[in-house]
Every structure is written in structure tokens, then in C-alpha cells.
Amino acid sequence: MKAATIRDVAERAGVSVASVSRVLTGAGVVAEPTRSKVLEAVEALSYVPHSGARSLSTSRTDVIGVILPDLFGEFFSELIRGMDVACRAQGRHLIVSSSHDDAANAAAAIRSMRGRVDGLIVLSPHLDSGELTSSLSGRLPVLLMNGGDLDGQQPSMAVDNTGGARVAVEHLFSLGRRRIAHVGGPTGNLEARQRKQGYLDAVASAGAQPMLAQGEFTQASGFAAAARLLASDQRPDAIFAGNDAMAVGVLLAIQEAGLRCPEDIAVVGFDDVPIAELVRPGLTTLHIDIAGMGRRAVERLLTEIDDAAANSPQAANDAAREIIVPRLVVRQSCGASTSTQGFSGERP
Amino acid sequence: MKAATIRDVAERAGVSVASVSRVLTGAGVVAEPTRSKVLEAVEALSYVPHSGARSLSTSRTDVIGVILPDLFGEFFSELIRGMDVACRAQGRHLIVSSSHDDAANAAAAIRSMRGRVDGLIVLSPHLDSGELTSSLSGRLPVLLMNGGDLDGQQPSMAVDNTGGARVAVEHLFSLGRRRIAHVGGPTGNLEARQRKQGYLDAVASAGAQPMLAQGEFTQASGFAAAARLLASDQRPDAIFAGNDAMAVGVLLAIQEAGLRCPEDIAVVGFDDVPIAELVRPGLTTLHIDIAGMGRRAVERLLTEIDDAAANSPQAANDAAREIIVPRLVVRQSCGASTSTQGFSGERP
DNA sequence: CTGTTAGCGCCTTCAG
DNA sequence: CTGAAGGCGCTAACAG
């Protein structure tokens, strides 16, 4: 009743396991009669190689792991989709591990990946990210995303959050808004801090006063934060949200308060998740090619893995830090007088 | 430079590998002095067990695989999120494999999972799904989702698509709409066919004429299909889309055509993905607890796995087919005169 | 070209 | 309570 092993196949074909292995892996040369006998036995037993066993002896699993803090929202789904595409293209599998709110938790997850993956993509928007990979991964190829660049020599990718935020806020100022508020993400989140910093920078150089509200990167928290802002005696005339999910919450809060966007209050988000184009008014936001980022991350990790396997002295450019520069996408919510852009309906 | 193995730990601790294994797995009894010596060595070498090797000898991987046709859109991301939650709760990992458009492709993916997972959740909305699991999985626990129930004894879950579609269409008729069109999903997709069937049933029993347009379950295809429908000489006064993504496309097409929804044309979708609540007008649709479904699927597969391990004669209720009945959620797009529901902003 | 034989890293009887 | 030894299923030299 148990699944057939390579030995069963060898026996039935009247050859050695080595020969079976040879025809199945394609390595080495096999005489035609042998090959067909093997194939026949494989067919008869409907044999499928046990990848776990294979991994143990080749010490490569063909799977890469992704450690991420959460799985909520469109950002992560787009990211994973991009990674999956790249993996498939390379015959790899993707194993995901999420909901790692704190560093200790993430560390445990990383450890539990040993022997299960060939490399890791770690999204740790926590402050203590550097320590994570350096100390915890016993020489497992790792690609850091959106984390701190503590040692500077770890292969990594990151979005220029500060710069993006600055662009957003400057855009609002250029549109004549003066009282620009910011709904920030979780304080423990590095990206949230960077975006907030960009906001503060822009506000400072405009000689304006900052107005801050605290959110959690979720739609509901954006709604709540905006409600607080709107209730204040000095109501803002624009709100820059730390991400699109919160921006959508802000939009809803404005609506609920009987105010109009962009007339009364302009709104700008960050990320350009698919939904940003669909809400009314269309959300002005900073575009990131999220899926593309995921794809690219996998590709980089894969070359890192290959280099490690080839024992080449880690090609210099592997260790670089790649910066993704977000691009401002102007829709209706910021009140810019662009020609009213119709929806394309072109999203797949 | 290589990672430490259990042998290194044993050596350093001055004990046998068996003892190390005992303290690490918690199985068997170990004297206190031995235990602490081991722990100390583990710490010093920052040893982490190799899960691949462990899997081979225990023949359990603690990971479950998910085979799905695609990774596009909110439906799949919600589903995966639900699965991930359940997996984490049970200390399991999730390995995903997507983009299996045809059966052969999916079959290959399933095979490649042997030795990598303890069980499989297969989403195969293709017509030839039954064959897949029966022939291809050599006694690997499998849970079928939204696939055909060919043998009837395979553990499975499915949405009542036909019934849900009927409810949607009947609702539109009850609102006074008479010329109700349907934008269907891919013809090869079982769920798409079932929803279409429900539409046809409802139209027939209302004595009306069906109007069909073909889509691909994507927003863009919904947009295109609706455009065609709107251009026809007998323009519909309502459109029931095969899923929410297409419904959103329909909404955009109506807008683009200078028509109003729901006044001129009512729209109803299917799935109730998060975005359905956010588009304007709010999309009336059939609600499915997608994440909950994913969670439940994992739970069922896990008990299936446990039963298989315990060699218990596959508990009878394991093999049941579980039907999820979607619930109509009325928002604005269908034109029902409900009290204008404000947005809650409560989505996380 | 093919078969034999070690491992890969770990768990697990089975004696001691 | 502990250690020695035999696998788990497969690949990879190394001899024939």
C-alpha cells in the first residue's frame, strides 16, 4: 500500500538503483534498453521520486522561503504573486511563513526553515532586522526586503520611502494645500517611520506645522485616524496616508463626515495597490511595481544561491542594496486639475 | 563553515546523538546533567535541526501544499491568508504552487509535491479534476476544493454556485428588472459553468430570455464583455457577473458608456471580495467567507492527515463533501431601495 | 555502460 | 537512563 521507492523500480526493471537514478535525473549515460526498462517500471508502479530524500542527498530543495510580517491586504498578495511567477519560471517552489509581528517570532520562523529551503527572502519592517539575518541564519542565502541596512553588505532591496513621502507632500503643497496632516503606520515599522520622516522633512522645509495621527496600516485604522483629524479644531485641508489601505479609510471617513474629497480635503496614499484606481475619487498615490519587486527579489536570491553553490566568492554585485524609487501617480483624490482620467478597466 | 549537525552537538556535549535527539524532540527521558550539557552545546554551536533530514526519518514534513490555478485577484489572496492562519495555529507551513491552467500542468505540480508535503489542497476548477487526485496522488491525503465530485468519496469542499447564482438573478427579477444579462467566466472553469447554469435556470423559470457574454474572471474581461452588451440593440437593464472582479469591470464599462448604475443598469457580482464594498456604487454580491473557507480546508486536511497517520480506517465523516452556501449581500449596485448604508471602514 | 557502496542528517528500536 | 546501529529514499563517486 505504500508508495513505490526507487528500489522497487530497480527491482522490477531488473537493474540497479543507480541506473534508475540516472535515467530519472538525466545525469550520466544509460544504454537505450536499460532506459526503456526503467521507464516502463516507473510507469507500471506510477513511481514518483521522493523530493525530500532527493533534497537530503543533493542538499538542495528547490524551494525558497518567504518570511513576512503579515498577509493582509493587497500589498502582500501582489508581492507573493510576483514571487510565485519568478519561482515557477525557475522550477522552484515557494513556502510562505507570515504573521511575524516581533523579531523573536520571525527569528523562530527563520530557524524553522533550515533544511527546508535553499534561501530566504525576509521582509522584516522591524527595527531589529539586521541582527535577525546575521545571527540567525547559519550561512543560508538571504535577501532582505524593506529592512534596515545595518551591516550594509547584506543583499537587500528597499523602497525609497522617505523620498516618496516627500514627493507626495510637496505635490500637495504645490497644489496650494497648507494644512497637511499625516496618518502614519505602526511606530515599530521601519517603513512607516521613513514615510513619516519624509513627511516631516517636506513640511519643515515648507515652513508649515506638522499634524500627526497614528494608524496601523489598515483601512480601519486609517478611518479612525482621519475621524480624529477631522474632529480637531484645526481641520487639515489635505491628508497624506502612510499606505493605500489607510488612505482608503481616510476617504471613507471624509465621506462619512459629510465632507468632499478633494474639494475640502485632498488625500494621497502610498503603494498604488490595485484598489487605488478603483475607489472614488481615484486615489493619488506613490506607485510601486509590487509584483515586479517580488519577482526581482526571487531572481536576486536565486543568483545568490547559485553563487553560493558554485562557491564563487559571492559576486560583488550580489551584496548590493537595490533601491526602488516610487513614482507619483496623480488621480482625483489630490485635487490636481488633470484631465479627468477615465478608468481603463485594463487591470487583469 | 558548514552548519552544525547533530553529531557535532553530540561530540561537543560528550554524549551520543541519540541523547541529543531525545532532548531536542522531547521524546524519551533524559537525566538532568545530560540534558543541560546538550542544551549548552546546542547553544554554543547555534545548532538548528535540519528539518529535511528529520522529515525523511519521521516521514512527516509539517508542511501542506496548495495547488491553485492562479494567484490573481483578491479571492486567492484571501483564501491563502485563511490557510496560512490555520497552518500557523497548528505549527505547519504552507507551500503554494499556482498557475496551473490545464490539468496536465496541475498533475505535474501535484507529483512534484511528493516527499515535500504531508497533504494537499487542490483547487482545480477544471473539468477533469477527479482524475487528477485519484490517479496522481499515491495515497497522499488530499482535499479538493471547488472541483468536480466525480467519485463522491473524496474529501472536498465546494461553493453552491448554482444556487447562489439563482438567488442573484431572482433578486434582480424581484426588483423589476426584466432584461438580465450574464457575464460568464472561462468555459473550462467548473465554477463558471455552475454559476452560468444557475443564471439560466432562474431566467428560464422567469420565462425570460437569456443574454450571455463571455469573460475570463478578470476585471478587464468584464469591462470588455459589458461594453459588448451595452452596444447591443437590446440593451440589458441588469447584469449578473460571474465574479466580483468582472463585476467591477462591468461597473466601469457602464460608467464609461455614460450610463448610470443602478438606475439604468443594475449589477450583481459573486464572491464579496474586500473591494466589493469599496467601489461606487457598492457592489451587491454573493458573500463567501473566503478566508474562513481556507482555514476550514486546512483544518479538514489536517484531520485527514492525522487519521491517515493513526491508520484509523479514515473516519467516515472525513470523506464528506462540504457545501458552502453563499449569502446575498445587498449594496447599491442592484438598485434595491435599502436605507443607504454608509461604509463601516471596519475592514482590517 | 552498470552495479556497489557510502553517505545526506536525523530518529528510533534495541540492548546494555 | 544511555549508546550503538539500522534505516528513511535518493544521489554520487568509484570500481568493474
Side-chain angles (χ1 to χ4, degrees):
Chain A
M1 270 303 125
K2 311 221 53 171
T5 79
I6 197 177
R7 208 130 44 194
D8 299 326
V9 176
E11 197 165 329
R12 192 178 212 283
V15 302
S16 75
V17 295
S19 291
V20 177
S21 177
R22 285 193 194 94
V23 348
L24 260 30
T25 60
V29 213
V30 204
E32 185 41 38
T34 310
R35 146 175 270 93
S36 54
K37 274 191 298 183
V38 168
L39 258 23
E40 188 178 321
V42 165
E43 180 69 19
L45 272 44
S46 59
Y47 167 74
V48 178
H50 188 288
S51 0
R54 177 177 288 180
S55 294
L56 190 55
S57 68
T58 58
S59 54
R60 69 174 276 173
T61 63
D62 281 334
V63 6
I64 81 173
V66 193
I67 308 284
L68 50 181
D70 201 340
L71 222 44
F72 258 114
E74 295 192 291
F75 185 87
F76 292 118
S77 24
E78 273 295 286
L79 194 65
I80 289 183
R81 189 171 64 74
M83 292 180 178
D84 179 72
V85 168
C87 278
R88 281 190 60 67
Q90 306 291 332
R92 254 66 167 213
H93 290 281
L94 202 60
I95 180 168
V96 318
S97 178
S98 76
S99 307
H100 304 297
D101 15 298
D102 61 283
N105 199 329
I110 291 180
R111 264 196 300 273
S112 80
M113 286 299 192
R114 156 149 146 93
R116 234 189 262 290
V117 302
D118 294 335
L120 240 35
I121 295 177
V122 178
L123 252 78
S124 60
H126 304 291
L127 302 171
D128 30 23
S129 53
E131 139 215 328
L132 265 187
T133 52
S134 53
S135 62
L136 300 176
S137 71
R139 223 49 289 142
L140 186 66
V142 170
L143 180 77
L144 228 52
M145 280 187 87
N146 298 345
D149 186 7
L150 305 196
D151 42 27
Q153 278 308 60
Q154 182 82 47
S156 63
M157 300 180 57
V159 171
D160 178 11
N161 291 304
T162 316
R166 211 148 34 203
V167 168
V169 177
E170 283 163 3
H171 176 68
L172 287 169
F173 275 123
S174 79
L175 257 26
R177 308 285 172 164
R178 303 306 304 168
R179 311 188 43 71
I180 305 177
H182 175 59
V183 176
T187 52
N189 186 302
L190 184 59
E191 297 202 273
R193 292 166 80 106
Q194 293 173 338
R195 292 173 187 184
K196 177 178 172 183
Q197 190 55 53
Y199 160 80
L200 291 174
D201 290 354
V203 167
S205 46
Q209 288 300 314
M211 296 181 63
L212 293 168
Q214 178 68 37
E216 295 294 328
F217 271 168
T218 64
Q219 182 182 317
S221 72
F223 183 89
R228 262 175 277 136
L229 248 21
L230 299 181
S232 80
D233 42 330
Q234 294 272 19
R235 189 212 291 159
D237 60 7
I239 297 179
F240 165 54
N243 72 355
D244 285 350
M246 293 197 297
V248 169
V250 170
L251 246 30
L252 299 180
I254 291 174
Q255 205 166 94
E256 179 118 329
L259 297 168
R260 292 161 311 162
C261 172
E263 293 83 348
D264 300 317
I265 304 184
V267 175
V268 176
F270 208 117
D271 287 346
D272 197 19
V273 295
I275 213 181
E277 187 184 13
L278 264 17
V279 289
R280 321 290 352 236
L283 187 64
T284 290
T285 186
L286 284 147
H287 173 83
I288 302 172
D289 177 8
I290 307 173
M293 232 172 94
R295 195 172 36 60
R296 177 86 184 113
V298 167
E299 286 164 359
R300 286 195 62 191
L301 179 60
L302 252 31
T303 77
E304 205 185 324
I305 291 172
D306 288 349
D307 287 357
N311 219 345
S312 67
Q314 59 180 49
N317 43 0
D318 272 21
R321 181 171 188 77
E322 200 167 306
I323 302 290
I324 281 82
V325 178
R327 173 174 54 80
L328 185 71
V329 174
V330 177
R331 298 207 178 88
Q332 292 79 37
S333 71
C334 63
S337 55
T338 52
S339 56
T340 310
Q341 297 169 297
F343 290 105
S344 67
E346 286 310 322
R347 288 257 194 200
Chain B
M1 271 304 125
K2 310 221 53 170
T5 78
I6 196 176
R7 209 132 42 196
D8 300 326
V9 176
E11 198 165 328
R12 191 178 214 283
V15 301
S16 74
V17 295
S19 291
V20 177
S21 177
R22 286 193 193 94
V23 349
L24 259 29
T25 61
V29 214
V30 204
E32 185 40 39
T34 309
R35 142 173 274 95
S36 54
K37 274 190 298 185
V38 168
L39 258 22
E40 189 179 319
V42 165
E43 180 69 19
L45 274 42
S46 58
Y47 166 74
V48 179
H50 187 289
S51 359
R54 178 176 287 181
S55 294
L56 191 55
S57 64
T58 59
S59 53
R60 70 173 276 171
T61 63
D62 282 334
V63 8
I64 79 172
V66 193
I67 307 284
L68 49 181
D70 201 341
L71 221 46
F72 258 115
E74 295 192 292
F75 185 87
F76 292 118
S77 24
E78 274 293 286
L79 194 65
I80 289 184
R81 189 172 62 75
M83 291 180 178
D84 179 72
V85 168
C87 278
R88 281 191 61 67
Q90 306 291 331
R92 254 65 167 213
H93 291 281
L94 202 59
I95 181 169
V96 319
S97 177
S98 75
S99 307
H100 305 297
D101 15 298
D102 61 284
N105 200 328
I110 291 180
R111 263 197 299 275
S112 81
M113 287 297 191
R114 156 148 146 94
R116 234 190 261 289
V117 302
D118 294 334
L120 239 36
I121 296 178
V122 178
L123 251 78
S124 60
H126 303 292
L127 301 172
D128 30 24
S129 53
E131 139 216 328
L132 265 187
T133 51
S134 52
S135 62
L136 300 176
S137 72
R139 221 51 288 142
L140 186 68
V142 170
L143 180 75
L144 228 53
M145 280 186 88
N146 298 346
D149 185 7
L150 304 196
D151 42 29
Q153 279 306 60
Q154 182 83 48
S156 63
M157 299 180 56
V159 171
D160 179 10
N161 290 303
T162 317
R166 211 149 34 203
V167 167
V169 179
E170 283 164 2
H171 177 67
L172 286 168
F173 274 123
S174 80
L175 257 26
R177 308 286 170 163
R178 304 305 304 167
R179 310 189 44 72
I180 305 176
H182 175 59
V183 176
T187 52
N189 187 300
L190 184 60
E191 299 202 273
R193 293 167 78 105
Q194 294 173 339
R195 291 173 187 184
K196 177 177 172 184
Q197 190 54 54
Y199 160 80
L200 291 174
D201 290 355
V203 167
S205 46
Q209 288 299 315
M211 296 181 63
L212 293 169
Q214 180 68 36
E216 294 294 328
F217 271 169
T218 64
Q219 181 181 316
S221 71
F223 183 90
R228 263 174 275 137
L229 249 19
L230 298 181
S232 81
D233 42 329
Q234 294 273 19
R235 189 213 292 159
D237 59 7
I239 297 179
F240 165 54
N243 72 355
D244 285 350
M246 293 197 297
V248 169
V250 170
L251 247 30
L252 299 180
I254 291 174
Q255 205 166 96
E256 179 118 329
L259 297 169
R260 292 161 311 162
C261 172
E263 294 82 351
D264 299 317
I265 303 184
V267 174
V268 176
F270 207 118
D271 287 345
D272 197 19
V273 295
I275 213 183
E277 186 184 14
L278 264 18
V279 290
R280 322 285 359 232
L283 187 63
T284 291
T285 186
L286 284 147
H287 173 83
I288 301 172
D289 177 7
I290 307 172
M293 232 172 92
R295 195 173 35 61
R296 177 86 185 111
V298 167
E299 285 166 359
R300 285 195 61 191
L301 179 60
L302 253 29
T303 76
E304 206 186 324
I305 291 172
D306 288 347
D307 287 357
N311 218 345
S312 66
Q314 58 180 50
N317 42 1
D318 272 20
R321 181 172 188 77
E322 203 168 304
I323 302 290
I324 282 80
V325 177
R327 176 174 52 80
L328 185 71
V329 174
V330 177
R331 298 206 179 89
Q332 291 80 38
S333 71
C334 63
S337 55
T338 52
S339 54
T340 311
Q341 298 171 297
F343 291 104
S344 67
E346 286 310 323
R347 289 256 195 202

